[in-house]
Amino acid sequence: SELANRLQRERAAATALISEQGDAEAFRLRTTATDKSIAGFRSRTKGLSSVPGSAQGALDRIERFIEEMPGLRAQVRSGSSTVSALAFGYRIVIADLNSYRDGIAQADGVDADIADRIRAAAALSEAAEHTAQQQVTVMRAQAAGGFTTASQRTFDAGRMGYTESTGVMFDLGPGEWRTWLERTLSGAKALEARRLEDEIGRTGTGKDLTVSPEEWQKAADDRQELLRSVEKRVDAAVLAQVSDARTTLIWTAGAEVALVVLTLVGVVVVAIRLGRVMIRRLRDLRNAAHEVAHSGLPAVMNELSQPGA
């Protein structure tokens, strides 16, 4: 989710640059932050021993996008890319990042409760993406002199998508996650973003937006930062649960191995003891046979060979 957040911020900076609402330096800073996040993401995924099929497909697509990013960024700097093409490219890779997490939840052997929490965390990331797309949609409308019918529909879909995604999170995640989100979004910054969103939503098509680009970008950035803070807490909670489950499995496996070893040792000890008893009895039998053959039998034969026997 960290990489998705960095890409969302880079997309907003790129949109601002192309639509003349931002500058090249702000875009450069965002790309630098994204590159650091990409390095961390690659480092973490490189150490994975195996990845489920659907997650691997998403991972491959993410890697291809990363390889193509220098060209996309060059188009942004030169102004040769359209805002819609730019937004589409970023949207696809961010969707793949969320699909990657869903793919992990669907892997064989994943505990059902852990899988639900991974899906809940992915749903929160999807909610953050809906608000990030909404941010870009408004920026495009501001540059174009108002909403078109299509962009108005996209804006409304973003609001609905956010509500649906948070609903999934509430259904699958523990109650405290809902508390974290609601408390985080009850502050002044979140309320200001909601106020501007409502004002923009009432504007209608073909009319200039009364909210300035500076106001909207600041409010939208603040809201994304708040959502990111909740994502971090949720991700940490999922990681802790996965780590606990892993530790439990390790201890269980260790106990099973120890039990097997103890069983084998017990079998060996019993076998040795039984073997010693059998060897002792066989030795006694051999000695008795030896005594009969060398002492008892000759004596009997000698006695029988005597006259009058």
Side-chain angles (χ1 to χ4, degrees):
S1 60
E2 179 189 354
L3 179 55
N5 178 261
R6 295 299 184 186
L7 288 168
Q8 288 161 355
R9 289 176 173 272
E10 180 176 324
R11 175 179 58 192
T15 302
L17 181 59
I18 292 177
S19 60
E20 299 181 349
Q21 298 176 19
D23 55 56
E25 178 60 16
F27 179 65
R28 186 191 68 79
L29 292 174
R30 292 303 187 192
T31 59
T32 300
T34 302
D35 288 341
K36 290 181 180 179
S37 185
I38 287 173
F41 179 80
R42 280 175 160 172
S43 176
R44 290 188 296 272
T45 56
K46 185 178 180 181
L48 296 175
S49 57
S50 63
V51 179
S54 59
Q56 184 62 57
L59 200 58
D60 292 340
R61 292 191 297 273
I62 292 167
E63 187 61 34
R64 284 196 296 271
F65 178 84
I66 290 173
E67 295 294 335
E68 296 169 359
M69 283 190 74
L72 178 62
R73 289 169 172 174
Q75 292 177 15
V76 172
R77 294 187 180 97
S78 65
S80 59
S81 175
T82 63
V83 176
S84 58
L86 172 75
F88 179 78
Y90 282 98
R91 184 176 65 188
I92 293 301
V93 70
I94 293 170
D96 282 332
L97 284 165
N98 287 329
S99 296
Y100 170 71
R101 301 179 77 175
D102 269 336
I104 296 297
Q106 296 171 11
D108 293 336
V110 176
D111 178 80
D113 185 53
I114 291 177
D116 281 346
R117 295 197 178 202
I118 293 174
R119 293 189 185 98
L124 177 59
S125 295
E126 289 172 1
E129 169 60 3
H130 283 301
T131 58
Q133 288 183 27
Q134 189 183 72
Q135 177 182 8
V136 173
T137 300
V138 172
M139 293 169 68
R140 292 170 60 186
Q142 288 170 329
F147 281 125
T148 62
T149 301
S151 60
Q152 177 75 61
R153 190 179 299 116
T154 301
F155 177 82
D156 293 337
R159 302 180 79 174
M160 184 178 297
Y162 173 84
T163 301
E164 291 176 351
S165 295
T166 53
V168 172
M169 173 195 165
F170 296 157
D171 289 340
L172 296 178
E176 65 177 348
W177 291 9
R178 179 171 189 161
T179 301
W180 293 347
L181 183 62
E182 290 178 343
R183 286 182 178 176
T184 301
L185 297 183
S186 63
K189 291 182 178 180
L191 294 177
E192 175 64 8
R194 176 59 64 86
R195 184 187 70 80
L196 295 179
E197 178 187 303
D198 291 340
E199 182 177 338
I200 291 169
R202 291 191 298 267
T203 302
T205 59
K207 299 178 182 179
D208 288 335
L209 302 183
T210 56
V211 177
S212 70
E214 293 77 17
E215 283 183 298
W216 174 246
Q217 287 183 40
K218 182 181 185 309
D221 284 343
D222 287 343
R223 180 167 59 180
Q224 290 304 111
E225 189 62 33
L226 291 172
L227 286 170
R228 177 61 189 144
S229 70
V230 180
E231 283 187 279
K232 287 180 179 179
R233 295 185 70 179
V234 168
D235 288 346
V238 172
L239 179 59
Q241 185 175 8
V242 171
S243 298
D244 289 344
R246 179 175 179 272
T247 300
T248 300
L249 289 174
I250 291 174
W251 278 104
T252 301
E256 291 176 351
V257 170
L259 180 61
V260 171
V261 171
L262 289 174
T263 301
L264 291 175
V265 170
V267 169
V268 171
V269 170
V270 171
I272 291 175
R273 294 189 65 180
L274 290 176
R276 286 179 176 176
V277 172
M278 293 180 66
I279 290 172
R280 185 168 60 251
R281 290 181 178 179
L282 288 173
R283 186 183 296 115
D284 292 342
L285 182 61
R286 183 199 64 183
N287 291 337
H290 183 79
E291 183 178 355
V292 169
H294 292 82
S295 300
L297 186 59
V300 171
M301 293 298 295
N302 183 51
E303 184 178 342
L304 291 175
S305 64
Q306 296 295 324

